[in-house]
Amino acid sequence: MKRLLKHIAVILGLVTIAMMGTYVGLAVYYHNAFIYGTWINGIYCTGRSIQEVNDELVKGFTYEGVTVEDKDGNRYEISAEEIAYQFDFKKALEIYQNQQDPWMWIDSLFQGHQVKLTPVVSYDAEAFEECFETLPFCQEARPDRERRVEIIRTPQGYDLVNERTEVLFIEQAKGAVLAAIEASESQVSLMEAECYHDLELTAQMQETLEIWEKLAPFQECGVVYRMGEEDIPVDASVVCDWIATDDNGRFLIDESGDLQLKENAIEDFVKALAEEYDTVGSTRQFQSTRGDVVTVEGGLYGNKMDQEEEVAYLTAAFYNKKSEVHEPAYTQEAWSKGKEDIGSTYIEIDMSEQKMYYYVDGVLQIETPIVTGNTSRRMGTPSGVNYVYLKQKNRILRGQGYASHVDFWMPVKGNIGIHDAAWRGTFGGTIYQTNGSHGCINTPRTAMEQLYEMAEVGTPVVMFY
């Protein structure tokens, strides 16, 4: 029994010595290699030397350079080649290996070591400076004292120029870009790196900002005048002309501390709008059926804006900052709005050709010869753009020395109208020159009956020679 125990003790001793030898041997082995269970940047490194791991890490690592993004989203490239960028993991591997305790390799049997190392980077500092200084935000940099705060006039209205907010600090930006390169990062946002700062304001700059806070709401009117096919926006480009300034261009402030409007500014705007778009009595260019474009002056037909009502509307809209499409009120309305107010449904009276035409939606419906006012007796039918303002049947037309019955009567200007003329056997030609009417448009009964049934009150009547 004693002999058996002695043998067991000897065996255990040998096993212990063997295990200790193995442990010590592995500790010595790992002294110049990475210990068991070491993974670096996804590479298995157990038992491998620094040089072996470095070679493999360098082989799998690429860096093309850094993309620099400014606050406006503009992106600029500095390539690795431009700055002679180089990298190596050897120093980082040495530091990490020195942190490992080869005598504690046994711990790695139960938990591995997953680490992420970045390479040690080198680059040409002078080349980097040259590349950085060519970036647009460096080229555009100005001294802080030159950065202004002022209100300027533009075609779109007044605008605030504030060059003292979000100013890029160049040295800070350079540091952020260098840090990205040294960390082998592919991009850097100067905004996220907090390279932009606001500069201090002078008392005069503060005053300018206070005025702008009053001015900006003045320009918020969003009314759009619908003038037929045209839209006239009453936006900042218009409203800026309403704001009162002194002879030096300084804004005038009232007793309440608010900006002042120019006297009659809104009235003047509405008046100018009416002068441009009112068409009653205006001169028009008209495409005649005979083929040429004729100039037609005067007449009763057209649009006439209600200026008083529009001044009241626009004043309220301006102060309430309304934003809407608005059709103005009229004291007289044509069938169509805007400058081209005749439209495509109208009566055309060509007094030179002694012809009358009636168009509906641009399609000719009636063509007939007529007889107009007697020119030899100075009773020639006046030219102009008028309109049918009444329709009557069985009317007695009276004048100096005559009383004539007509079946259909459509007056277009005062006592001048379109009507049938049973007393005439022929129409057209040159009859009007010596035997014309007292100014009315004599029309064959059949054509007159058609016209009376089809044309509505309000229909434009274009009359010309």
Side-chain angles (χ1 to χ4, degrees), residues 300 379 381-382 389 395-400 402 409-419 437-442 463:
L300 304 178
M379 294 180 180
T381 304
Y389 66 84
R395 172 73 183 267
I396 301 295
L397 303 181
R398 301 181 186 277
Q400 186 174 359
Y402 72 92
W409 168 243
M410 293 170 55
V412 298
K413 182 180 181 181
N415 60 357
I416 295 175
I418 309 170
H419 61 79
S437 70
H438 292 85
C440 288
I441 298 92
N442 294 176
M463 307 159 66

Side-chain angles (χ1 to χ4, degrees), residues 17 32-33 43 59 64 83 147 206 233 264 281 338 352 428 454 459:
I17 291 170
N32 292 313
I43 296 174
K59 188 188 306 180
E64 296 180 355
I83 59 174
R147 294 187 173 273
Q206 291 282 12
N264 298 323
S352 292
M454 297 177 68
T459 302

Side-chain angles (χ1 to χ4, degrees), residues 102-352:
W103 296 100
M104 299 301 294
W105 62 265
I106 197 169
D107 288 345
S108 300
L109 295 175
F110 306 103
Q111 64 178 29
H113 301 277
Q114 298 270 359
V115 295
K116 180 73 176 177
L117 298 181
T118 56
V120 174
V121 170
S122 64
Y123 56 87
D124 186 325
E126 290 185 3
F128 169 77
E129 288 284 343
E130 291 178 3
C131 290
F132 183 80
E133 289 174 1
T134 60
L135 296 178
F137 51 74
C138 290
Q139 299 290 312
E140 297 165 1
R142 291 184 290 127
D144 294 349
R145 65 179 180 277
E146 295 180 6
R147 294 187 173 273
R148 58 187 177 141
V149 175
E150 63 179 312
I151 297 169
I152 63 172
R153 176 68 179 273
T154 74
Q156 291 74 42
Y158 287 108
D159 195 12
L160 175 69
V161 176
N162 187 349
E163 298 175 339
R164 300 185 74 82
T165 60
E166 295 187 341
V167 177
L168 179 64
F169 282 29
I170 297 297
E171 289 303 316
Q172 192 172 346
K174 184 190 296 184
V177 176
L178 277 176
I181 292 173
E182 290 171 356
S184 300
E185 295 175 352
S186 61
Q187 60 182 10
V188 58
S189 167
L190 299 182
M191 180 63 80
E192 293 178 3
E194 299 182 349
C195 299
Y196 293 90
H197 305 275
D198 294 344
L199 301 178
E200 291 186 6
L201 302 176
T202 65
Q204 184 177 358
M205 292 175 180
Q206 291 282 12
E207 182 181 347
T208 299
L209 290 179
E210 291 172 4
I211 293 176
W212 175 252
E213 289 178 1
K214 301 175 187 295
L215 179 59
F218 261 62
Q219 302 190 117
E220 291 178 3
C221 182
V223 170
V224 176
Y225 267 87
R226 176 66 50 81
M227 310 300 292
E229 297 296 321
E230 293 185 69
D231 286 342
I232 310 299
V234 185
D235 53 19
S237 65
V238 174
V239 173
C240 67
D241 289 330
W242 301 357
I243 302 170
T245 58
D246 62 18
D247 293 338
N248 296 316
R250 291 189 294 264
F251 297 101
L252 298 180
I253 308 295
D254 62 20
E255 295 178 355
S256 302
D258 296 323
L259 293 174
Q260 297 183 37
L261 279 183
K262 289 180 182 176
E263 188 176 359
N264 298 323
I266 294 178
E267 289 86 345
D268 291 343
F269 173 80
V270 171
K271 181 180 179 181
L273 196 65
E275 287 176 351
E276 183 172 0
Y277 288 94
D278 280 1
T279 55
V280 176
S282 66
T283 299
R284 299 172 173 85
Q285 300 300 308
F286 178 76
Q287 177 64 57
S288 69
T289 301
R290 69 192 184 203
D292 60 339
V293 176
V294 295
T295 299
V296 186
E297 299 181 5
L300 304 178
Y301 177 80
N303 295 297
K304 189 175 183 61
M305 191 186 304
D306 188 333
Q307 295 188 38
E308 184 177 345
E309 185 169 337
E310 285 310 303
V311 168
Y313 162 78
L314 190 53
T315 300
F318 171 74
Y319 282 109
N320 293 323
K321 301 178 179 61
K322 281 191 175 182
S323 180
E324 62 187 13
V325 176
H326 172 70
E327 292 192 3
Y330 294 91
T331 57
Q332 179 179 324
E333 292 187 66
W335 275 15
S336 299
K337 301 302 185 294
K339 297 176 181 178
E340 303 298 328
D341 61 347
I342 294 175
S344 57
T345 297
Y346 55 88
I347 299 169
E348 176 185 348
I349 298 176
D350 185 337
M351 292 178 286
S352 292

